[in-house]
Amino acid sequence: MAPIDKAEALKRERERQKTINAYHRVFNSKDGEIVIADMKNQFATESQVFLPGYDYNPVVAALRDGQRGVVLHIETMLKRPVIADANIEEPKRKVKK
């Protein structure tokens, strides 16, 4: 990997870690837990996008899938480890090409 590519990849990794840290600060609080629980309830993330027995509407299914995807993305980000901003100069993930 060229030095410029490696530096750019490291910069992207630092920015990604800052974003992960922000997700943790926002959603790992009492209010954040309330918001996630409400989103799960509101968007029925635990149920199927297509519900048998109902008239199938592809637009409604796509909308429900998009809502579900947002909640799943937040949950995925919260599963990633927090690296303190002071230590962000040395990301734990290795950059490979």
Side-chain angles (χ1 to χ4, degrees):
M1 183 180 288
I4 294 173
D5 292 342
K6 195 169 188 174
E8 186 62 34
L10 191 57
K11 180 180 174 186
R12 282 193 310 267
E13 184 61 30
R14 286 183 192 125
E15 289 304 314
R16 181 158 180 75
Q17 188 61 52
K18 287 179 184 178
T19 302
I20 291 168
N21 292 353
Y23 271 85
H24 280 274
R25 283 191 300 274
V26 170
F27 291 105
N28 280 341
S29 66
K30 283 262 191 224
D31 289 340
E33 291 171 5
I34 291 169
V35 169
I36 290 176
D38 179 62
M39 290 174 74
K40 286 176 144 183
N41 183 48
Q42 183 69 29
F43 302 136
T45 59
E46 303 298 322
S47 65
Q48 299 174 359
V49 173
F50 170 68
L51 299 173
Y54 291 93
D55 289 336
Y56 179 71
N57 182 336
V59 174
V60 172
L63 178 63
R64 290 188 70 212
D65 191 44
Q67 294 167 334
R68 184 175 175 271
V70 169
V71 176
L72 293 176
H73 176 72
I74 292 169
E75 289 178 332
T76 298
M77 294 299 274
L78 294 176
K79 289 178 183 174
R80 298 194 173 158
V82 173
I83 299 174
D85 289 336
N87 299 331
I88 212 161
E89 295 302 315
E90 300 173 19
K92 300 294 183 208
R93 288 177 28 186
K94 299 292 183 201
V95 177
K96 296 181 182 179
K97 184 168 184 179

